[in-house]
Amino acid sequence: MRIVVLVSGRGSNFQAIVDNVAAKNLSVTCTQMITDNPNAYAIHRAHNAGIPVTVIDYHAFPSRKEYEVDLLLALDELQPDLIVLAGYMRIIGKEIVLAYKERIINIHPSLLPSFPGLHAQAQALAHGVKVAGCTVHFVDEEMDAGPIILQRCVRVCDDDTVEVLEERILAEEHIALSHAIQLFCDGKLKICDRRVFIL
Amino acid sequence: MRIVVLVSGRGSNFQAIVDNVAAKNLSVTCTQMITDNPNAYAIHRAHNAGIPVTVIDYHAFPSRKEYEVDLLLALDELQPDLIVLAGYMRIIGKEIVLAYKERIINIHPSLLPSFPGLHAQAQALAHGVKVAGCTVHFVDEEMDAGPIILQRCVRVCDDDTVEVLEERILAEEHIALSHAIQLFCDGKLKICDRRVFIL
C-alpha cells in the first residue's frame, strides 16, 4: 500500500507514522510527503527519513482553486492508495475529495463532533470539558465531519494549559493515526451510511 | 445537605442516589422526589425508599409557565441545598434557574457539547462516534449547556444497539451523578467562567 502524507507544520504525526513503519508496526510504504508550507519543520523529518517531499507553496498561487489543481496533479502522479492528512491545515477541495473518495483520512485533536475547526484543544479547555481526545475520520466535503474511524480520549485536568492538553492528546493521535492507517490498508474498514465498521 | 431530585421516568439514576445514600457512599439527605409525570416508575422507587414524592402533573396545567410557577413554589417550600435533575425530561425555566443559580445539576447521556437534547445515545450511534459517555453539569438557561462538573466515557462497539449503548452509558451515569453530588455537598466545586474546578 502506497500512502502519501500531507503536512503543514512540525509533522509530529508524520514522524509517528515514519517511526511505526521503521519499527515494523505499520506495514505500508510512505511514498511521499506533500506540504503547502515551504517552511514546515516536517520537511526536515522527511529528509531524515529518506522520504521524498513535494512542496506546493499555497501562497505562490493566485487562488485556492489554482493551488488545488496543482495538488490534485501531484496526487494523481503519485497514485496513492491512501492520502493521510497529518496536521494539514487546509480544507481539501471538492474535486480532490471526489477523486479520492473514501481514500483520504484526517486526524483531528478533539472528540468530534465537539470542537471542529482550528484550536480544538483550546476550544475544549474554554468549554470546560473533562474528557477530550482525538478523532481519525474519512474526509468528506465538510470540515472535520466525515465518517469516524477511531477515537481515543484523555482526561482534562484542572491545571491544564492548552500546551499540556495538546501534548496529552498528541500522544493518542500518534497511536490512533497509525492504527487507522493499518486498518485501512488491511481492508478492514467498511463505511455504512456514516458509521465505520471494523471487520 | 438537603437534596431534591426531579425525575420524569423510570428513575434509575434516582435509584442509584438512593442506593449510594443507603450504602453510606453518599452523605446527603434526599428529602423529596418531584416528578412531572404521575405515571413515572420512579414514584414506586421513592415509596420503596421512604422518600416523599410530589407529583406536579405537567399536562394538568394550561401552559408551561403555570406549571413552572407550581414547581418553583414546591421547591421553595422544600428549601433544597441542591436540585438534581435525574432523567427529568423538561427544560428548567429561567425563573427557577435564577432562583437556584449554581444549585441545579443535570445528568445528560452524552459527552457534551456533542449530542445535546433528546435521544443523545441514538444521535451518537447515528453519527458513528467511537467514544460516548455522560456529563454532569450545572443547569443554566440553555439546554444541556451549563458548566461541566464531570464526564465519563465508554466505548461504542460496532454491534451496539441503542439499548446496549444506553445501558453502558447508564452505568457511568450512576457513578458520575453521585460523585458530582458529593463534590457539590462537600463544597468542592468552584465555577470560574464556564469551567468547573474541583478543589
Side-chain angles (χ1 to χ4, degrees):
Chain A
M1 283 276 183
R2 295 157 54 84
I3 73 169
V4 168
V5 184
L6 270 63
V7 188
S8 295
R10 61 177 175 157
S12 94
N13 270 307
F14 169 71
Q15 187 68 53
I17 295 168
V18 167
D19 292 347
N20 279 321
V21 170
K24 300 195 189 303
N25 293 327
L26 183 54
S27 46
V28 299
T29 306
C30 186
T31 51
Q32 194 90 7
M33 195 197 85
I34 298 178
T35 182
D36 60 316
N37 172 12
N39 301 312
Y41 181 71
I43 295 170
H44 299 281
R45 297 188 193 260
H47 287 162
N48 288 341
I51 292 169
V53 175
T54 303
V55 177
I56 306 176
D57 183 357
Y58 185 85
H59 295 292
F61 292 84
S63 73
R64 177 161 164 261
K65 198 169 170 180
E66 276 146 308
Y67 163 80
E68 287 261 331
V69 168
D70 261 40
L71 178 56
L72 182 53
L73 279 173
L75 290 169
D76 285 347
E77 241 171 62
L78 294 162
Q79 299 207 326
D81 297 299
L82 175 65
I83 298 165
V84 178
L85 312 185
Y88 178 68
M89 302 306 279
R90 303 198 179 278
I91 291 171
I92 291 283
K94 189 174 171 175
E95 272 193 65
I96 296 179
V97 168
L98 288 176
Y100 291 89
K101 191 168 154 62
E102 299 181 0
R103 285 186 290 157
I104 311 175
I105 67 175
N106 180 46
I107 177 100
H108 182 80
S110 81
L111 294 175
L112 292 171
S114 289
F115 315 123
L118 292 176
H119 311 304
Q121 306 94 330
Q123 288 184 59
L125 262 193
H127 195 86
V129 294
K130 301 298 183 180
V131 174
C134 64
T135 302
V136 187
H137 63 93
F138 284 104
V139 172
D140 65 12
E141 291 163 46
E142 288 180 57
M143 186 183 62
D144 300 330
I148 293 169
I149 301 167
L150 292 174
Q151 293 185 305
R152 294 180 66 92
C153 58
V154 302
R155 288 172 61 90
V156 180
C157 303
D158 280 358
D159 57 354
D160 276 350
T161 60
V162 173
E163 292 71 27
V164 166
L165 183 58
E166 278 173 356
E167 285 300 315
R168 193 178 302 125
I169 293 172
L170 196 58
E172 302 302 319
E173 292 177 48
H174 292 168
I175 298 168
L177 186 54
S178 284
H179 186 194
I181 292 169
Q182 190 67 61
L183 289 169
F184 179 91
C185 292
D186 290 346
K188 290 197 174 162
L189 301 178
K190 182 167 177 246
I191 305 176
C192 185
D193 294 327
R194 62 161 294 123
R195 291 181 71 181
V196 179
F197 295 94
I198 297 175
L199 304 177
Chain B
M1 283 277 183
R2 297 158 52 84
I3 72 169
V4 168
V5 184
L6 270 64
V7 188
S8 294
R10 62 176 174 158
S12 93
N13 268 307
F14 169 70
Q15 186 69 52
I17 295 168
V18 167
D19 292 346
N20 279 321
V21 170
K24 299 194 189 303
N25 292 328
L26 183 55
S27 47
V28 300
T29 306
C30 185
T31 51
Q32 194 90 5
M33 195 198 83
I34 298 179
T35 182
D36 59 317
N37 171 12
N39 301 312
Y41 181 72
I43 294 169
H44 298 280
R45 299 187 191 262
H47 287 164
N48 288 342
I51 293 169
V53 175
T54 303
V55 178
I56 307 176
D57 183 358
Y58 185 85
H59 295 291
F61 292 84
S63 74
R64 175 159 168 263
K65 199 171 170 178
E66 276 147 306
Y67 163 79
E68 287 261 332
V69 168
D70 260 41
L71 177 57
L72 182 53
L73 279 173
L75 289 169
D76 285 347
E77 239 171 62
L78 294 163
Q79 300 206 326
D81 297 297
L82 175 66
I83 298 166
V84 178
L85 312 186
Y88 178 69
M89 303 306 280
R90 303 199 178 277
I91 292 170
I92 292 281
K94 189 174 171 175
E95 273 193 64
I96 296 178
V97 169
L98 289 175
Y100 291 89
K101 192 170 155 55
E102 298 179 0
R103 286 187 290 155
I104 311 176
I105 67 175
N106 181 44
I107 177 100
H108 181 78
S110 80
L111 294 175
L112 291 171
S114 288
F115 314 123
L118 292 176
H119 311 302
Q121 306 95 329
Q123 287 185 58
L125 262 195
H127 195 84
V129 294
K130 301 297 182 179
V131 175
C134 65
T135 302
V136 187
H137 64 92
F138 284 105
V139 172
D140 65 12
E141 289 162 48
E142 287 180 57
M143 185 182 64
D144 300 329
I148 292 169
I149 301 166
L150 292 175
Q151 292 184 306
R152 294 179 67 91
C153 57
V154 301
R155 287 173 61 91
V156 180
C157 303
D158 280 358
D159 57 353
D160 277 351
T161 59
V162 173
E163 292 70 26
V164 166
L165 183 58
E166 278 174 358
E167 284 301 314
R168 192 178 303 124
I169 294 172
L170 196 58
E172 302 302 318
E173 292 178 45
H174 293 167
I175 298 167
L177 186 54
S178 284
H179 187 193
I181 291 169
Q182 190 66 60
L183 289 169
F184 179 92
C185 292
D186 290 346
K188 290 195 173 165
L189 301 178
K190 181 166 179 249
I191 304 176
C192 185
D193 295 324
R194 62 162 292 122
R195 290 181 71 181
V196 180
F197 295 95
I198 297 174
L199 304 176

